[in-house]
Amino acid sequence: MDKVALRYLLRERRALISPESHGLSRPTRQGRRAPGLSQAQVDQLLHRAPDTYGRLESGRYPNPPVDLLEDVARLLGMNEHEWVALWRYALGQDPPHPLHARAGEAVPGTWRLALDGISHMAYVSDRSWNMLAYNEPFTGLFPERRVPSNIMRWMAVEPEARSVLRHWETAWAPLVLPQLRAAIAADPEDPTLCGIEKEVLDDPSAARVYESASAYVHPDGGERPVRHALHGPGWVTVCAAQPMTAPRARLLILPFHSGERRPCGRPAPLRAHG
């Protein structure tokens, strides 16, 4: 626990919440000049015992429960960055899930500018694999430059994908479909993911792989064979990352290597030298 950082985080967020916005009056007792909600008002709004929040803010609450952290974060209007910080300061670990269930549906518009500055194929998709933005090199992968609106659906069930993604049944489906299955396990009510799953189960080839899906494998660092619409057969190296402001959104950068055979050798891992 980092008591000092925890106190500053909670105090600063609490100061931004006016009591009046919750139907409460501003405390007027002598010496009470701090802005925002009082600690007692936080307890009142969260229906917690007196001094529950005070113990948390002061670092006197070891191992606070998940529901308390969630209630405090939502009341204080925390964003996903602050939610992660709250967990790290209070419990010394990252949260098991985003604060907001729909986190990852949108990313800052500046990512479009960033994509335009990348020479390799690159795109950003949301938590349900809907395409949010992509650069010009990425369009060249597809016949007639038709970029799909949902990249997971395209990879999973579109007939066109099976000509672009070489060796689809052995090199792509066993890695792609477990990602879909893991995403649905985390959010079984997502209508986009459920719709894709239905299409997968209606497709005999995809269903066979999906129903026997092994453990989820993150795509980062993988090399997979493709048939580029402009450059012919080759391989893409999957470089996967996540915009920090949008948990569960995805940034994919796909360097392309021309040729039937897998490229030989990989760059050495990046390590800092002290």
Side-chain angles (χ1 to χ4, degrees):
M1 176 181 288
D2 187 331
K3 294 182 179 180
V4 173
L6 179 63
R7 183 171 66 251
Y8 276 116
L9 171 65
L10 291 174
R11 185 182 293 172
E12 288 178 0
R13 289 304 314 169
R14 181 165 58 87
L16 298 176
I17 310 299
S18 69
E20 294 83 358
S21 67
H22 290 277
L24 301 175
S25 59
R26 191 172 299 277
T28 58
R29 69 179 183 273
Q30 187 174 5
R32 203 333 180 150
R33 298 174 181 171
L37 292 169
S38 69
Q39 292 183 354
Q41 286 174 330
V42 174
D43 287 328
Q44 179 182 350
L45 291 169
L46 297 183
H47 306 289
R48 301 280 176 167
D51 198 38
T52 298
Y53 175 79
R55 290 168 57 209
L56 176 65
E57 185 174 297
S58 65
R60 293 181 287 115
Y61 200 142
N63 300 314
V66 173
D67 62 327
L68 175 60
L69 296 180
E70 288 181 343
D71 289 348
V72 167
R74 290 196 172 99
L75 175 63
L76 301 186
M78 289 188 177
N79 59 32
E80 297 297 335
H81 277 307
E82 292 161 336
W83 170 238
V84 171
L86 176 63
W87 269 75
R88 290 179 179 178
Y89 298 154
L91 291 170
Q93 64 189 62
D94 285 345
H97 54 75
L99 176 60
H100 305 288
R102 307 304 298 181
E105 289 187 333
V107 299
T110 50
W111 275 100
R112 187 176 301 278
L113 296 175
L115 290 174
D116 289 341
I118 298 173
S119 60
H120 299 297
M121 296 184 288
Y123 69 88
V124 174
S125 64
D126 71 8
R127 62 194 297 278
S128 304
W129 281 278
N130 293 309
M131 193 67 68
L132 298 180
Y134 50 86
N135 62 6
E136 181 62 24
F138 186 61
T139 67
L141 176 66
F142 303 93
E144 300 182 21
R145 295 185 177 271
R146 295 189 307 267
V147 177
S149 59
N150 185 289
I151 194 67
M152 174 56 74
R153 181 186 177 279
W154 182 81
M155 292 189 293
V157 299
E158 279 291 336
E160 176 190 84
R162 298 179 194 184
S163 64
V164 175
L165 309 178
R166 294 193 297 136
H167 311 304
W168 177 87
E169 196 156 346
T170 57
W172 286 88
L175 299 174
V176 167
L177 293 175
Q179 293 180 54
L180 173 63
R181 192 158 189 163
I184 291 175
D187 191 357
E189 303 301 321
D190 185 294
T192 300
L193 298 179
C194 290
I196 298 171
E197 181 185 48
K198 183 180 184 304
E199 291 190 68
V200 166
L201 295 176
D202 288 340
D203 181 302
S205 297
R208 184 170 55 253
V209 178
Y210 186 78
E211 290 172 345
S212 61
S214 59
Y216 161 73
V217 179
H218 196 282
D220 189 34
E223 291 177 335
R224 300 180 190 170
V226 299
R227 181 168 289 102
H228 196 288
L230 300 179
H231 305 303
W235 294 74
V236 291
T237 301
V238 182
C239 302
Q242 182 182 84
M244 295 183 69
T245 56
R248 298 170 69 181
R250 304 166 185 85
L251 164 67
L252 273 292
I253 302 174
L254 305 169
F256 175 77
H257 313 274
S258 184
E260 292 277 358
R261 301 180 62 182
R262 184 190 299 270
C264 296
R266 288 190 177 187
L270 302 178
R271 292 189 177 93
H273 298 283

PDB file of all heavy atoms in Angstrom, residues 198-219:
ATOM      1  N   LYS A 198     -22.719 -16.692 -32.921  1.00  0.00           N
ATOM      2  CA  LYS A 198     -23.784 -17.429 -33.607  1.00  0.00           C
ATOM      3  C   LYS A 198     -23.381 -17.770 -35.032  1.00  0.00           C
ATOM      4  O   LYS A 198     -23.604 -18.903 -35.516  1.00  0.00           O
ATOM      5  CB  LYS A 198     -25.077 -16.615 -33.615  1.00  0.00           C
ATOM      6  CG  LYS A 198     -26.262 -17.343 -34.248  1.00  0.00           C
ATOM      7  CD  LYS A 198     -27.516 -16.503 -34.222  1.00  0.00           C
ATOM      8  CE  LYS A 198     -28.706 -17.295 -34.765  1.00  0.00           C
ATOM      9  NZ  LYS A 198     -28.473 -17.833 -36.128  1.00  0.00           N
ATOM     10  N   GLU A 199     -22.761 -16.805 -35.717  1.00  0.00           N
ATOM     11  CA  GLU A 199     -22.305 -17.068 -37.082  1.00  0.00           C
ATOM     12  C   GLU A 199     -21.210 -18.131 -37.101  1.00  0.00           C
ATOM     13  O   GLU A 199     -21.151 -18.965 -38.005  1.00  0.00           O
ATOM     14  CB  GLU A 199     -21.811 -15.784 -37.732  1.00  0.00           C
ATOM     15  CG  GLU A 199     -22.902 -14.764 -38.031  1.00  0.00           C
ATOM     16  CD  GLU A 199     -22.386 -13.618 -38.881  1.00  0.00           C
ATOM     17  OE1 GLU A 199     -22.065 -13.856 -40.062  1.00  0.00           O
ATOM     18  OE2 GLU A 199     -22.296 -12.487 -38.351  1.00  0.00           O
ATOM     19  N   VAL A 200     -20.343 -18.097 -36.110  1.00  0.00           N
ATOM     20  CA  VAL A 200     -19.285 -19.108 -36.021  1.00  0.00           C
ATOM     21  C   VAL A 200     -19.885 -20.494 -35.841  1.00  0.00           C
ATOM     22  O   VAL A 200     -19.489 -21.460 -36.509  1.00  0.00           O
ATOM     23  CB  VAL A 200     -18.325 -18.773 -34.852  1.00  0.00           C
ATOM     24  CG1 VAL A 200     -17.431 -19.969 -34.515  1.00  0.00           C
ATOM     25  CG2 VAL A 200     -17.469 -17.559 -35.194  1.00  0.00           C
ATOM     26  N   LEU A 201     -20.859 -20.611 -34.952  1.00  0.00           N
ATOM     27  CA  LEU A 201     -21.470 -21.922 -34.685  1.00  0.00           C
ATOM     28  C   LEU A 201     -22.284 -22.425 -35.874  1.00  0.00           C
ATOM     29  O   LEU A 201     -22.518 -23.630 -35.995  1.00  0.00           O
ATOM     30  CB  LEU A 201     -22.337 -21.839 -33.434  1.00  0.00           C
ATOM     31  CG  LEU A 201     -21.576 -21.560 -32.137  1.00  0.00           C
ATOM     32  CD1 LEU A 201     -22.546 -21.398 -30.972  1.00  0.00           C
ATOM     33  CD2 LEU A 201     -20.554 -22.656 -31.848  1.00  0.00           C
ATOM     34  N   ASP A 202     -22.710 -21.509 -36.750  1.00  0.00           N
ATOM     35  CA  ASP A 202     -23.436 -21.901 -37.954  1.00  0.00           C
ATOM     36  C   ASP A 202     -22.500 -22.283 -39.098  1.00  0.00           C
ATOM     37  O   ASP A 202     -22.954 -22.758 -40.145  1.00  0.00           O
ATOM     38  CB  ASP A 202     -24.351 -20.761 -38.425  1.00  0.00           C
ATOM     39  CG  ASP A 202     -25.560 -20.568 -37.505  1.00  0.00           C
ATOM     40  OD1 ASP A 202     -25.897 -21.515 -36.762  1.00  0.00           O
ATOM     41  OD2 ASP A 202     -26.152 -19.471 -37.523  1.00  0.00           O
ATOM     42  N   ASP A 203     -21.207 -22.054 -38.907  1.00  0.00           N
ATOM     43  CA  ASP A 203     -20.207 -22.361 -39.931  1.00  0.00           C
ATOM     44  C   ASP A 203     -19.478 -23.642 -39.505  1.00  0.00           C
ATOM     45  O   ASP A 203     -18.770 -23.642 -38.507  1.00  0.00           O
ATOM     46  CB  ASP A 203     -19.224 -21.195 -40.052  1.00  0.00           C
ATOM     47  CG  ASP A 203     -18.163 -21.404 -41.112  1.00  0.00           C
ATOM     48  OD1 ASP A 203     -17.419 -22.417 -41.033  1.00  0.00           O
ATOM     49  OD2 ASP A 203     -18.045 -20.562 -42.007  1.00  0.00           O
ATOM     50  N   PRO A 204     -19.642 -24.740 -40.242  1.00  0.00           N
ATOM     51  CA  PRO A 204     -19.065 -26.017 -39.790  1.00  0.00           C
ATOM     52  C   PRO A 204     -17.564 -25.962 -39.516  1.00  0.00           C
ATOM     53  O   PRO A 204     -17.090 -26.498 -38.507  1.00  0.00           O
ATOM     54  CB  PRO A 204     -19.394 -26.972 -40.943  1.00  0.00           C
ATOM     55  CG  PRO A 204     -20.595 -26.385 -41.590  1.00  0.00           C
ATOM     56  CD  PRO A 204     -20.431 -24.898 -41.481  1.00  0.00           C
ATOM     57  N   SER A 205     -16.802 -25.313 -40.402  1.00  0.00           N
ATOM     58  CA  SER A 205     -15.348 -25.260 -40.208  1.00  0.00           C
ATOM     59  C   SER A 205     -14.973 -24.439 -38.983  1.00  0.00           C
ATOM     60  O   SER A 205     -14.131 -24.848 -38.170  1.00  0.00           O
ATOM     61  CB  SER A 205     -14.665 -24.684 -41.453  1.00  0.00           C
ATOM     62  OG  SER A 205     -14.877 -25.505 -42.571  1.00  0.00           O
ATOM     63  N   ALA A 206     -15.602 -23.271 -38.845  1.00  0.00           N
ATOM     64  CA  ALA A 206     -15.301 -22.421 -37.696  1.00  0.00           C
ATOM     65  C   ALA A 206     -15.814 -23.053 -36.402  1.00  0.00           C
ATOM     66  O   ALA A 206     -15.136 -23.002 -35.364  1.00  0.00           O
ATOM     67  CB  ALA A 206     -15.924 -21.037 -37.888  1.00  0.00           C
ATOM     68  N   ALA A 207     -17.002 -23.663 -36.451  1.00  0.00           N
ATOM     69  CA  ALA A 207     -17.576 -24.270 -35.247  1.00  0.00           C
ATOM     70  C   ALA A 207     -16.692 -25.389 -34.721  1.00  0.00           C
ATOM     71  O   ALA A 207     -16.516 -25.543 -33.504  1.00  0.00           O
ATOM     72  CB  ALA A 207     -18.970 -24.793 -35.540  1.00  0.00           C
ATOM     73  N   ARG A 208     -16.131 -26.181 -35.615  1.00  0.00           N
ATOM     74  CA  ARG A 208     -15.272 -27.283 -35.192  1.00  0.00           C
ATOM     75  C   ARG A 208     -14.069 -26.774 -34.400  1.00  0.00           C
ATOM     76  O   ARG A 208     -13.700 -27.333 -33.352  1.00  0.00           O
ATOM     77  CB  ARG A 208     -14.814 -28.072 -36.417  1.00  0.00           C
ATOM     78  CG  ARG A 208     -13.985 -29.300 -36.077  1.00  0.00           C
ATOM     79  CD  ARG A 208     -13.749 -30.179 -37.300  1.00  0.00           C
ATOM     80  NE  ARG A 208     -13.140 -29.469 -38.411  1.00  0.00           N
ATOM     81  CZ  ARG A 208     -13.795 -29.118 -39.520  1.00  0.00           C
ATOM     82  NH1 ARG A 208     -15.094 -29.393 -39.645  1.00  0.00           N
ATOM     83  NH2 ARG A 208     -13.175 -28.484 -40.493  1.00  0.00           N
ATOM     84  N   VAL A 209     -13.479 -25.692 -34.855  1.00  0.00           N
ATOM     85  CA  VAL A 209     -12.339 -25.124 -34.141  1.00  0.00           C
ATOM     86  C   VAL A 209     -12.792 -24.439 -32.855  1.00  0.00           C
ATOM     87  O   VAL A 209     -12.181 -24.593 -31.792  1.00  0.00           O
ATOM     88  CB  VAL A 209     -11.587 -24.119 -35.042  1.00  0.00           C
ATOM     89  CG1 VAL A 209     -10.427 -23.488 -34.280  1.00  0.00           C
ATOM     90  CG2 VAL A 209     -11.078 -24.813 -36.299  1.00  0.00           C
ATOM     91  N   TYR A 210     -13.887 -23.700 -32.945  1.00  0.00           N
ATOM     92  CA  TYR A 210     -14.382 -22.939 -31.789  1.00  0.00           C
ATOM     93  C   TYR A 210     -14.757 -23.853 -30.632  1.00  0.00           C
ATOM     94  O   TYR A 210     -14.437 -23.578 -29.474  1.00  0.00           O
ATOM     95  CB  TYR A 210     -15.590 -22.115 -32.211  1.00  0.00           C
ATOM     96  CG  TYR A 210     -16.119 -21.179 -31.152  1.00  0.00           C
ATOM     97  CD1 TYR A 210     -15.475 -19.970 -30.899  1.00  0.00           C
ATOM     98  CD2 TYR A 210     -17.252 -21.489 -30.415  1.00  0.00           C
ATOM     99  CE1 TYR A 210     -15.959 -19.092 -29.934  1.00  0.00           C
ATOM    100  CE2 TYR A 210     -17.741 -20.625 -29.457  1.00  0.00           C
ATOM    101  CZ  TYR A 210     -17.086 -19.425 -29.212  1.00  0.00           C
ATOM    102  OH  TYR A 210     -17.570 -18.569 -28.260  1.00  0.00           O
ATOM    103  N   GLU A 211     -15.440 -24.950 -30.930  1.00  0.00           N
ATOM    104  CA  GLU A 211     -15.911 -25.837 -29.871  1.00  0.00           C
ATOM    105  C   GLU A 211     -14.789 -26.622 -29.219  1.00  0.00           C
ATOM    106  O   GLU A 211     -14.955 -27.138 -28.117  1.00  0.00           O
ATOM    107  CB  GLU A 211     -16.974 -26.781 -30.437  1.00  0.00           C
ATOM    108  CG  GLU A 211     -18.276 -26.047 -30.769  1.00  0.00           C
ATOM    109  CD  GLU A 211     -19.275 -26.910 -31.514  1.00  0.00           C
ATOM    110  OE1 GLU A 211     -18.870 -27.975 -32.024  1.00  0.00           O
ATOM    111  OE2 GLU A 211     -20.459 -26.513 -31.577  1.00  0.00           O
ATOM    112  N   SER A 212     -13.649 -26.689 -29.886  1.00  0.00           N
ATOM    113  CA  SER A 212     -12.494 -27.363 -29.282  1.00  0.00           C
ATOM    114  C   SER A 212     -11.398 -26.362 -28.920  1.00  0.00           C
ATOM    115  O   SER A 212     -10.235 -26.725 -28.782  1.00  0.00           O
ATOM    116  CB  SER A 212     -11.935 -28.413 -30.251  1.00  0.00           C
ATOM    117  OG  SER A 212     -11.489 -27.802 -31.454  1.00  0.00           O
ATOM    118  N   ALA A 213     -11.802 -25.096 -28.784  1.00  0.00           N
ATOM    119  CA  ALA A 213     -10.817 -24.033 -28.539  1.00  0.00           C
ATOM    120  C   ALA A 213     -10.026 -24.298 -27.275  1.00  0.00           C
ATOM    121  O   ALA A 213     -10.585 -24.629 -26.230  1.00  0.00           O
ATOM    122  CB  ALA A 213     -11.525 -22.683 -28.446  1.00  0.00           C
ATOM    123  N   SER A 214      -8.726 -24.161 -27.385  1.00  0.00           N
ATOM    124  CA  SER A 214      -7.842 -24.324 -26.234  1.00  0.00           C
ATOM    125  C   SER A 214      -7.715 -22.992 -25.515  1.00  0.00           C
ATOM    126  O   SER A 214      -8.514 -22.083 -25.707  1.00  0.00           O
ATOM    127  CB  SER A 214      -6.479 -24.830 -26.699  1.00  0.00           C
ATOM    128  OG  SER A 214      -5.904 -23.911 -27.618  1.00  0.00           O
ATOM    129  N   ALA A 215      -6.704 -22.887 -24.686  1.00  0.00           N
ATOM    130  CA  ALA A 215      -6.512 -21.671 -23.906  1.00  0.00           C
ATOM    131  C   ALA A 215      -6.324 -20.466 -24.827  1.00  0.00           C
ATOM    132  O   ALA A 215      -5.742 -20.577 -25.906  1.00  0.00           O
ATOM    133  CB  ALA A 215      -5.308 -21.813 -22.987  1.00  0.00           C
ATOM    134  N   TYR A 216      -6.822 -19.326 -24.354  1.00  0.00           N
ATOM    135  CA  TYR A 216      -6.660 -18.068 -25.091  1.00  0.00           C
ATOM    136  C   TYR A 216      -5.185 -17.737 -25.251  1.00  0.00           C
ATOM    137  O   TYR A 216      -4.415 -17.805 -24.290  1.00  0.00           O
ATOM    138  CB  TYR A 216      -7.391 -16.956 -24.334  1.00  0.00           C
ATOM    139  CG  TYR A 216      -6.966 -15.560 -24.707  1.00  0.00           C
ATOM    140  CD1 TYR A 216      -7.326 -15.005 -25.925  1.00  0.00           C
ATOM    141  CD2 TYR A 216      -6.210 -14.789 -23.831  1.00  0.00           C
ATOM    142  CE1 TYR A 216      -6.954 -13.718 -26.262  1.00  0.00           C
ATOM    143  CE2 TYR A 216      -5.834 -13.506 -24.156  1.00  0.00           C
ATOM    144  CZ  TYR A 216      -6.210 -12.970 -25.369  1.00  0.00           C
ATOM    145  OH  TYR A 216      -5.840 -11.701 -25.697  1.00  0.00           O
ATOM    146  N   VAL A 217      -4.796 -17.395 -26.464  1.00  0.00           N
ATOM    147  CA  VAL A 217      -3.408 -17.019 -26.745  1.00  0.00           C
ATOM    148  C   VAL A 217      -3.399 -15.586 -27.252  1.00  0.00           C
ATOM    149  O   VAL A 217      -4.044 -15.273 -28.257  1.00  0.00           O
ATOM    150  CB  VAL A 217      -2.777 -17.953 -27.796  1.00  0.00           C
ATOM    151  CG1 VAL A 217      -1.343 -17.516 -28.093  1.00  0.00           C
ATOM    152  CG2 VAL A 217      -2.807 -19.396 -27.314  1.00  0.00           C
ATOM    153  N   HIS A 218      -2.676 -14.716 -26.558  1.00  0.00           N
ATOM    154  CA  HIS A 218      -2.600 -13.334 -27.013  1.00  0.00           C
ATOM    155  C   HIS A 218      -1.838 -13.270 -28.326  1.00  0.00           C
ATOM    156  O   HIS A 218      -0.851 -13.985 -28.517  1.00  0.00           O
ATOM    157  CB  HIS A 218      -1.893 -12.475 -25.954  1.00  0.00           C
ATOM    158  CG  HIS A 218      -2.112 -11.012 -26.159  1.00  0.00           C
ATOM    159  ND1 HIS A 218      -1.433 -10.291 -27.108  1.00  0.00           N
ATOM    160  CD2 HIS A 218      -2.962 -10.152 -25.567  1.00  0.00           C
ATOM    161  CE1 HIS A 218      -1.842  -9.032 -27.079  1.00  0.00           C
ATOM    162  NE2 HIS A 218      -2.771  -8.923 -26.151  1.00  0.00           N
ATOM    163  N   PRO A 219      -2.298 -12.437 -29.273  1.00  0.00           N
ATOM    164  CA  PRO A 219      -1.677 -12.427 -30.596  1.00  0.00           C
ATOM    165  C   PRO A 219      -0.299 -11.779 -30.647  1.00  0.00           C
ATOM    166  O   PRO A 219       0.418 -11.948 -31.636  1.00  0.00           O
ATOM    167  CB  PRO A 219      -2.670 -11.612 -31.439  1.00  0.00           C
ATOM    168  CG  PRO A 219      -3.353 -10.708 -30.454  1.00  0.00           C
ATOM    169  CD  PRO A 219      -3.457 -11.531 -29.194  1.00  0.00           C
TER     170      PRO A 219
END
